[in-house]
Amino acid sequence: MSTGQLIGNGIAAFLTLCIFSFLYKDNPFYKFAERLVAGVATGYFTMLLFWTNFIPKVWEPLYERHEIIYIIPTILGIIMWTRFSKKWAWVSRYSIAFYIGIGSGVAVTLALYTYLFKQLQATIAFPISMDVAGINQLLVVVAVLASLIYFFFSTPHKGAFGVASKLGIYVIMIGFGAGFGLTVMGRIALLVNRVIFLKGYLIALFGG
Amino acid sequence: MSNDTNRNFWEKLLMIDRRWIYLTIGIVVFVPLLFRIGMPVYVTTEVQNVYDYIDALPEGAVVMIPCEYDPATMAELRPMAYALFRHCFSKNLKILSTSLQIEGVTLVKDDLAMIAAEYGKEYGKDYVFLGYKPYPSVVILNMGENFRKPFPKDYYGNNLDSLPMMKGVINYSSCACIVNINATSGADYWINYANGRYKAPLALGVTAVMATDYYTFLASGQIFGLIGGLKGASEYEKLINHTGPAARAMDVQSIAHTVIVIFIVIGNVAYFASKRKMRNF
Amino acid sequence: MDRVKFLIPTFILFIIAISCVPAAAADIVADSAIAILPPNVSDVIVSDKPNDPGGTLVVEWILPDSAALAAMPIKGVNIYLSGNHDGPFELITSLPKSALHYECSDLQDGESYYFKVTATANGLESDGITSAAGIPSGQWFNTERLPILIVVILFSITAITFIIKARGGYDFYVRPIAGIKAVDEAIGRATEMGRPILYVPGLGSAADVATIAAFTILARVAKKVVEYNTRVIVPNYDPVVMAICQEVVKEAYASAGKPELYDPKDVYFITQDQFPYTAAVNGVMLREKPATNFYMGMFYAESLVLAETGFVSGSIQIAGTDQLVQIPFFVSVCDFVLMGEELYAASAYLSREPQQLGTLKAQDLGKVTVVILIIIGVILSTIGMSGFANWFNVG
Amino acid sequence: MRREVPLLIVFLFGLFMIVQYFIPHAKFAFWYQEFNNWTIIIGIFTMIVGIGSLLSVHYSKIRFRQEGWGYSLVTIVALFGMAIVGLLGGTEGDLFLKLYRFGLSPVTATMFSLLAFFIASAAYRAFRARNVISTLLLAAAVVVMLGRVPIGEILGGWLPRWLQLPNIADFLLNVPNVAAKRAIYIGVGLGVAAVSLKIILGIERTWLGGDGGKR
């Protein structure tokens, strides 16, 4: 490591330890790191927005290519600044309305496609048979039906319906447990990575 | 009297300060990094599928390996990228890569160049790195038409047409398959657009957490293989016979998982023991 | 060109010869026939790409039959484009022989285009076959998406019918959801303890439905907070979400007649980066010691970091998210969890407006339909009729 | 003006976005792209509102010398420092990248890695066999945790193949896990469609503030 890298990594190692210190309890070091990165991250992402979005999407079309149409979104954007005023803050609703209108319009078809159609098709595409795959498919179908029944809002969960919805919540909980177990792996890996970083830095610092 | 101390013991165990648990995990992670243990690895079919697919490709075929990982997620995904790069280069396949996550671009660029150097591969002839463009969904769609559309130039500023490898490589249909290594929900775009719209054979390498979500797509046939987290990476390392970072980290995982399970068992023993004692009173 | 014409009969003779020569000798013959051009592809057909915005044509061709390929294995095809049938043609792409079609985009709608497809082998190229004219155009309806259109229409009609019915005074049964009932209790607890409430609207954007559901729950929380004279802290990740949260909380104070008590500094922006945001919210939890933490909206890896820290600081915690991966963590650490759809339903529950509940009924009807479709679909797949399942495989 | 116009805007643009999904023609594709672009542009300008909020919170802390005002100073200095470096040198600038690499990314990665500790303490505390539901959660988690690492193969190695931990773990991931997710996804799909429709129709209008005001 060069001296520059040693200093850079020194800062990184210090910040790493600041965050780890939180495990013991809240302390000034953690608070310092927390507040530092709140500023750094905001600065970082604002600049990213500025260079990769503002310049190519607002500045260049308007100022260099004179595409008049971009005046509309620019005004919608500037309208958001009325939020700084108590009296005019309501005007920002126009931009928010546009934003939410676009979002929910896209969501209707997208949700039906990715969540409903795709999942439905995947559930019914495979035949039930007497081999392992076929029996698994049967179990999946039964489990999907039971879990769907658990999410019924307008029917009391009683009688046969109650039994099915109970089976449903059991399936969901086993599924969640499995998901939890699988996740543990990735999280340990992250810690391993940090420990390797600290170890590497110490070796570089004191010569291993 | 003895009953009383017993109860205190179990109850204390139930209420144990979380910091003891933190400390145990810290030790468990640190110590195995000093010694190599070498646990056996069991290869799952979803990883085997990816390996088989790539292994069967003829020399010179182009494999597209877009990598979307950043400093926070590289722990899990970098070993996977290494293993895939190694596999392709050792089979004399060509790699076309890109990174549609801004924080990962330089990481991926360096990783690819490093493994390429290991195999004496030449940039432009054996591998090409397209770099980054914002809005992954749009970029993925456009690449389905022509790589030159979003990337007239590669990361290093070369014209794509000036690179010998890119001759005749137009879009996904010119690639034998796509293996997307992804730590973000952007993996969905690859499924919906690259596979859904352009019918490119697609496999995913994702973090262990995401893997549960993507089993559905495996079952529905939208992806032909799935490499999940370090476990998947270590399986791939085993398949290509190259012990790498994943295998070492897997040792830590094995022990850490066991320790967590022991915690759970102790917690339950304590729970039932304290409950029984309470009933006695 | 003349040479080529001469070569074709030669080639046919060659094929006949090949089929007579014993297999072992074939290699030798192939070597000596190196000057022969590769066999042509056939049936080059150009068509407009269906269901597209326009400007794209699809070229399809058929490779020479296996006998011809055995004589001279081709490597791939070259595709040429021209505005005239007789050229000049411009090479636009080379594809491996596994490719049997090519989509050519960036063309002009309404213009005629001709494609020539040639086969290549050993550095040689067949003379190629030219297609008939293809004219690209954009379509006004995507037929592949017809099934979705049907579902959108049916679902909208059902939902609107129930909404109208509900407005007319029809009373719907809705089963209790523990997490929703807990919302009110949790607010009461905060009041008793004299500690604030922390409301985390997640990392979603204002256009995500989970975040929109979070606004509704915040509206309820804020209303109660004003009633009980406590305080709600809302740290934000997205500035648009912050703007709406401010509006929601301000409105709660205004409609209770106490607009002066609203402090915009309680609904504030932290940063638009996942973990710095998490670090800051952790800080709030440990320093403000809220009695109750709400996590509503979209959460990713930070879910457990937040929930564990919240537990350490001794808060009651209620979470709601549609991010499947994170639900298990919330389930194990939080006191109440709204899973997936329950989060959206919460807005209907909490508003207690009958017309809001009407859409819940429509959703349930949707689920009944799904249950029936799954049963029918699996039976059909099992008896070998996969067409039904493919109907849902839309583009 | 305050309620009706926003509700009309939501209705019109929401409806357009639904309709355009079914119309592939270039004219609609163009406006679809544009409108998506516009939402991004609104987001860019709104960032200023976010920064305004951040500054006002920290500025008042500094001004009134509230407890911990020094930390607020750290935030503001870091924000402006990063912004100036980014403005002058661009996002590819050496210093900008270094600040990111040594200042931001270690904190991000370390915050993320805290999960290794938290997941262990959460598992210890929460995974108790109190009732059927929590027992199922716990058992599935334990099986997958062991089944997905090499030690799982050693532990149950003497059992018949189908009873070994990795196989049971795979079964849990491929059957109950997939089934639960499909069911939740199907519900989410219907729920998202329903809520979105309510927004477009102006029935759900909390986003206007409070209950959107009674009409």
Side-chain angles (χ1 to χ4, degrees):
Chain A
M1 273 190 215
S2 68
T3 320
Q5 269 181 318
L6 216 54
I7 295 170
N9 280 323
I11 296 169
F14 170 72
L15 290 173
T16 301
L17 293 174
C18 284
I19 297 293
F20 275 140
S21 72
F22 177 73
L23 288 170
Y24 184 68
K25 65 179 205 186
D26 188 23
N27 63 71
F29 288 105
Y30 175 77
K31 207 167 170 184
F32 168 76
E34 172 211 318
R35 292 295 163 86
L36 178 76
V37 293
V40 172
T42 309
Y44 179 78
F45 280 92
T46 309
M47 282 305 110
L48 222 53
L49 263 183
F50 180 78
W51 289 108
T52 61
N53 280 306
F54 179 78
I55 295 294
K57 280 182 193 297
V58 182
W59 185 254
E60 286 175 3
L62 267 180
Y63 189 77
E64 287 173 15
R65 296 200 299 271
H66 304 292
E67 293 174 26
I68 307 297
I69 188 88
Y70 281 91
I71 287 182
I72 304 174
T74 306
I75 290 173
L76 284 174
I78 290 173
I79 276 181
M80 285 304 290
W81 295 351
T82 58
R83 297 217 52 86
F84 288 120
S85 145
K86 268 192 178 149
K87 196 176 160 205
W88 294 102
W90 64 271
V91 182
S92 65
R93 286 176 178 181
Y94 289 13
S95 313
I96 293 174
F98 176 80
Y99 195 97
I100 286 188
I102 296 295
S104 37
V106 170
V108 173
T109 47
L110 195 68
L112 290 178
Y113 168 71
T114 41
Y115 293 132
L116 188 64
F117 274 63
K118 281 283 169 201
Q119 301 305 324
L120 186 58
Q121 196 249 349
T123 311
I124 62 180
F126 297 100
I128 293 168
S129 57
M130 289 317 289
D131 56 7
V132 178
I135 291 169
N136 274 357
Q137 164 67 356
L138 175 67
L139 292 175
V140 167
V141 169
V142 172
V144 168
L145 293 180
S147 317
L148 266 177
I149 284 171
Y150 172 78
F151 281 101
F152 272 76
F153 297 113
S154 61
T155 319
H157 288 182
K158 284 180 191 143
F161 208 78
V163 174
S165 89
K166 198 156 214 171
L167 179 63
I169 189 69
Y170 290 169
V171 169
I172 292 170
M173 283 302 154
I174 295 173
F176 283 166
F180 189 110
L182 192 57
T183 312
V184 176
M185 318 212 26
R187 305 318 189 207
I188 303 282
L190 295 166
L191 183 55
V192 169
N193 211 43
R194 285 329 283 164
V195 173
I196 289 175
F197 164 75
L198 286 177
K199 195 177 123 191
Y201 177 71
L202 287 179
I203 289 172
L205 199 60
F206 299 113
Chain B
M1 206 55 203
S2 75
N3 248 355
D4 198 39
T5 50
N6 268 346
R7 194 189 70 173
N8 282 340
F9 171 72
W10 292 119
E11 286 205 329
K12 264 186 201 153
L13 203 56
L14 277 180
M15 297 289 160
I16 188 172
D17 191 323
R18 64 188 193 284
R19 282 172 283 211
W20 290 111
I21 297 174
Y22 297 164
L23 184 66
T24 320
I25 293 293
I27 293 170
V28 159
V29 168
F30 194 69
V31 173
L33 283 177
L34 304 177
F35 318 97
R36 173 93 181 84
I37 298 164
M39 295 267 183
V41 177
Y42 157 90
V43 180
T44 51
T45 43
E46 54 267 27
V47 176
Q48 182 82 46
N49 284 349
V50 182
Y51 175 84
D52 289 349
Y53 196 102
I54 292 179
D55 212 55
L57 294 175
E59 267 192 25
V62 177
V63 177
M64 184 169 191
I65 310 181
C67 300
E68 272 114 52
Y69 51 83
D70 64 2
T73 46
M74 68 180 182
E76 276 188 273
L77 296 190
R78 189 187 244 172
M80 207 181 277
Y82 282 179
L84 275 161
F85 293 161
R86 288 200 167 104
H87 188 202
C88 291
F89 283 142
S90 69
K91 300 277 303 175
N92 288 325
L93 302 170
K94 295 175 176 177
I95 295 179
L96 176 62
S97 184
T98 166
S99 181
L100 303 180
Q101 195 193 27
I102 190 152
E103 293 161 51
V105 189
T106 50
L107 272 177
V108 177
K109 176 203 75 178
D110 293 344
D111 289 351
L112 182 58
M114 189 188 92
I115 305 287
E118 224 173 77
Y119 287 82
K121 297 292 179 184
E122 202 181 306
Y123 186 82
K125 221 177 101 210
D126 303 302
Y127 70 102
V128 166
F129 184 64
L130 297 175
Y132 166 85
K133 278 277 146 72
Y135 307 108
S137 57
V138 179
V139 178
I140 293 167
L141 269 176
N142 285 336
M143 285 197 293
E145 301 283 333
N146 194 322
F147 292 125
R148 286 151 193 83
K149 225 168 150 180
F151 295 105
K153 288 176 187 230
D154 68 358
Y155 178 84
Y156 304 96
N158 306 307
N159 259 327
L160 283 204
D161 289 312
S162 72
L163 301 168
M165 188 190 115
M166 294 307 286
K167 189 174 178 291
V169 176
I170 310 297
N171 51 32
Y172 301 139
S173 59
S174 330
C175 300
C177 66
I178 304 174
V179 186
N180 175 224
I181 300 181
N182 207 323
T184 71
S185 51
D188 292 349
Y189 297 129
W190 288 98
I191 295 177
N192 287 339
Y193 300 140
N195 173 268
R197 189 171 292 191
Y198 294 104
K199 312 290 176 226
L202 175 72
L204 289 180
V206 296
T207 62
V209 188
M210 289 166 70
T212 44
D213 243 8
Y214 288 89
Y215 273 101
T216 330
F217 297 104
L218 196 65
S220 63
Q222 285 159 284
I223 53 176
F224 67 80
L226 181 65
I227 312 177
L230 273 180
K231 170 78 162 50
S234 74
E235 290 169 30
Y236 213 95
E237 283 180 354
K238 187 188 172 187
L239 287 168
I240 61 166
N241 259 325
H242 188 294
T243 308
R248 186 173 280 264
M250 275 316 282
D251 287 349
V252 179
Q253 302 250 337
S254 265
I255 301 172
H257 284 206
T258 315
V259 168
I260 294 175
V261 170
I262 292 172
F263 275 138
I264 296 176
V265 171
I266 294 175
N268 278 285
V269 170
Y271 173 68
F272 282 107
S274 67
K275 223 166 75 168
R276 204 179 39 232
K277 289 289 181 286
M278 270 186 246
R279 233 176 269 143
N280 285 348
F281 270 72
Chain C
M1 282 306 263
D2 281 343
R3 200 174 125 242
V4 176
K5 274 180 194 146
F6 167 73
L7 280 172
I8 290 171
T10 320
F11 175 72
I12 295 169
L13 278 177
F14 170 74
I15 296 291
I16 298 167
I18 276 268
S19 44
C20 302
V21 176
D27 288 345
I28 306 158
V29 179
D31 277 344
S32 64
I34 201 112
I36 294 175
L37 292 184
N40 254 327
V41 300
S42 59
D43 299 280
V44 178
I45 296 168
V46 179
S47 52
D48 177 41
K49 188 186 179 191
N51 302 319
D52 76 332
T56 303
L57 289 171
V58 182
V59 195
E60 290 164 285
W61 57 88
I62 292 177
L63 289 180
D65 61 20
S66 50
L69 283 179
M72 185 176 245
I74 67 163
K75 194 169 154 269
V77 294
N78 283 343
I79 297 175
Y80 297 82
L81 173 68
S82 173
N84 290 308
H85 184 270
D86 299 322
F89 282 93
E90 187 197 341
L91 176 67
I92 48 170
T93 186
S94 305
L95 296 176
K97 72 169 181 221
S98 58
L100 294 173
H101 68 100
Y102 173 70
E103 283 182 10
C104 184
S105 48
D106 290 330
L107 302 171
Q108 209 65 41
D109 276 355
E111 299 281 317
S112 295
Y113 292 95
Y114 299 86
F115 289 87
K116 186 166 83 174
V117 182
T118 66
T120 56
N122 304 329
L124 295 169
E125 190 175 359
S126 71
D127 56 340
I129 301 285
T130 304
S131 70
I135 303 171
S137 67
Q139 277 72 48
W140 287 100
F141 182 70
N142 186 339
T143 49
E144 279 181 17
R145 290 178 175 172
L146 179 66
I148 294 190
L149 181 65
I150 294 173
V151 172
V152 168
I153 292 173
L154 286 181
F155 188 69
S156 308
I157 291 175
T158 320
I160 293 170
T161 312
F162 279 115
I163 290 168
I164 293 171
K165 238 176 147 175
R167 279 192 178 158
Y170 186 86
D171 204 12
F172 295 106
Y173 168 86
V174 282
R175 80 173 161 85
I177 295 177
I180 295 175
K181 269 168 72 181
V183 169
D184 284 351
E185 292 162 22
I187 300 166
R189 185 182 116 106
T191 320
E192 283 164 26
M193 299 175 80
R195 276 160 42 183
I197 288 169
L198 177 70
Y199 194 98
V200 187
L203 303 192
S205 81
D208 290 310
V209 168
T211 314
I212 289 171
F215 296 145
T216 320
I217 300 173
L218 175 63
R220 173 72 168 198
V221 171
K223 212 171 145 189
K224 289 276 169 188
V225 160
V226 183
E227 228 172 80
Y228 293 135
N229 266 328
T230 51
R231 183 178 155 223
V232 60
I233 305 170
V234 191
N236 285 282
Y237 169 86
D238 180 303
V240 183
V241 172
M242 177 197 76
I244 299 178
C245 286
Q246 283 177 342
E247 201 76 351
V248 166
V249 176
K250 197 169 89 182
E251 188 78 24
Y253 278 94
S255 62
K258 303 176 191 164
E260 72 287 351
L261 289 179
Y262 165 68
D263 182 1
K265 287 196 185 67
D266 276 344
V267 186
Y268 58 99
F269 174 76
I270 291 181
T271 183
Q272 202 156 18
D273 191 6
Q274 185 181 18
F275 284 105
Y277 173 75
T278 312
V281 177
N282 273 354
V284 176
M285 285 185 204
L286 292 179
R287 285 156 220 154
E288 302 275 357
K289 299 228 178 303
T292 306
N293 299 335
F294 287 94
Y295 310 106
M296 298 286 168
M298 302 183 87
F299 290 87
Y300 301 91
E302 72 284 0
S303 65
L304 186 65
V305 179
L306 295 174
E308 267 295 294
T309 310
F311 176 83
V312 169
S313 68
S315 315
I316 284 214
Q317 310 202 76
I318 304 178
T321 186
D322 57 1
Q323 292 300 301
L324 283 186
V325 174
Q326 307 305 332
I327 299 177
F329 302 110
F330 279 144
V331 165
S332 31
V333 180
C334 295
D335 301 274
F336 296 96
V337 182
L338 300 171
M339 299 186 274
E341 216 187 339
E342 291 177 345
L343 172 65
Y344 316 143
S347 73
Y349 273 76
L350 290 175
S351 72
R352 304 218 171 117
E353 281 177 50
Q355 52 177 3
Q356 293 264 18
L357 296 175
T359 51
L360 283 186
K361 194 82 187 164
Q363 277 164 252
D364 274 4
L365 213 61
K367 272 173 266 177
V368 173
T369 318
V370 169
V371 167
I372 295 169
L373 288 176
I374 288 179
I375 294 171
I376 296 174
V378 167
I379 292 173
L380 289 179
S381 286
T382 304
I383 61 172
M385 295 166 69
S386 56
F388 184 74
N390 287 336
W391 198 75
F392 296 98
N393 197 8
V394 293
Chain D
M1 280 300 274
R2 296 194 178 199
R3 296 188 203 291
E4 283 69 20
V5 175
L7 288 174
L8 187 69
I9 294 176
V10 164
F11 177 75
L12 290 178
F13 287 97
L15 198 61
F16 174 83
M17 288 315 249
I18 295 180
V19 170
Q20 69 76 30
Y21 182 78
F22 301 100
I23 302 177
H25 199 275
K27 289 198 173 94
F28 278 72
F30 171 80
W31 284 109
Y32 168 74
Q33 284 282 3
E34 280 305 300
F35 289 158
N36 273 330
N37 247 335
W38 292 12
T39 57
I40 295 168
I41 293 173
I42 294 177
I44 301 171
F45 284 95
T46 315
M47 195 64 190
I48 299 293
V49 181
I51 293 173
S53 158
L54 183 87
L55 290 181
S56 84
V57 167
H58 290 294
Y59 174 70
S60 74
K61 274 195 186 156
I62 297 170
R63 194 175 153 205
F64 298 109
R65 294 289 190 273
Q66 281 174 11
E67 196 195 328
W69 62 273
Y71 296 106
S72 292
L73 202 60
V74 171
T75 304
I76 291 184
V77 169
L79 168 63
F80 282 108
M82 199 69 186
I84 290 166
V85 171
L87 264 183
L88 297 181
T91 48
E92 297 294 314
D94 188 49
L95 187 56
F96 191 73
L97 288 176
K98 280 208 170 101
L99 286 174
Y100 170 76
R101 194 169 144 209
F102 297 121
L104 188 54
S105 100
V107 173
T108 302
T110 312
M111 275 309 289
F112 203 173
S113 76
L114 289 184
L115 277 168
F117 299 101
F118 288 172
I119 219 167
S121 66
Y124 176 75
R125 200 180 60 243
F127 285 175
R128 306 249 159 94
R130 292 191 188 86
N131 52 39
V132 183
I133 286 180
S134 50
T135 311
L136 289 173
L137 188 76
L138 171 169
V142 167
V143 168
V144 172
M145 245 185 266
L146 291 179
R148 298 290 288 188
V149 287
I151 203 155
E153 281 130 62
I154 303 167
L155 273 180
W158 48 277
L159 287 164
R161 190 90 194 108
W162 62 278
L163 263 181
Q164 286 178 16
L165 280 173
N167 271 312
I168 303 180
D170 281 352
F171 172 80
L172 292 179
L173 287 169
N174 287 324
V175 177
N177 186 42
V178 163
K181 295 209 150 141
R182 284 209 185 128
I184 294 176
Y185 272 145
I186 289 171
V188 163
L190 289 166
V192 168
V195 175
S196 302
L197 275 176
K198 281 196 287 186
I199 293 167
I200 293 169
L201 294 174
I203 293 168
E204 164 67 68
R205 42 178 194 273
T206 333
W207 57 272
L208 279 172
D211 52 7
K214 299 273 185 287
R215 271 189 285 184

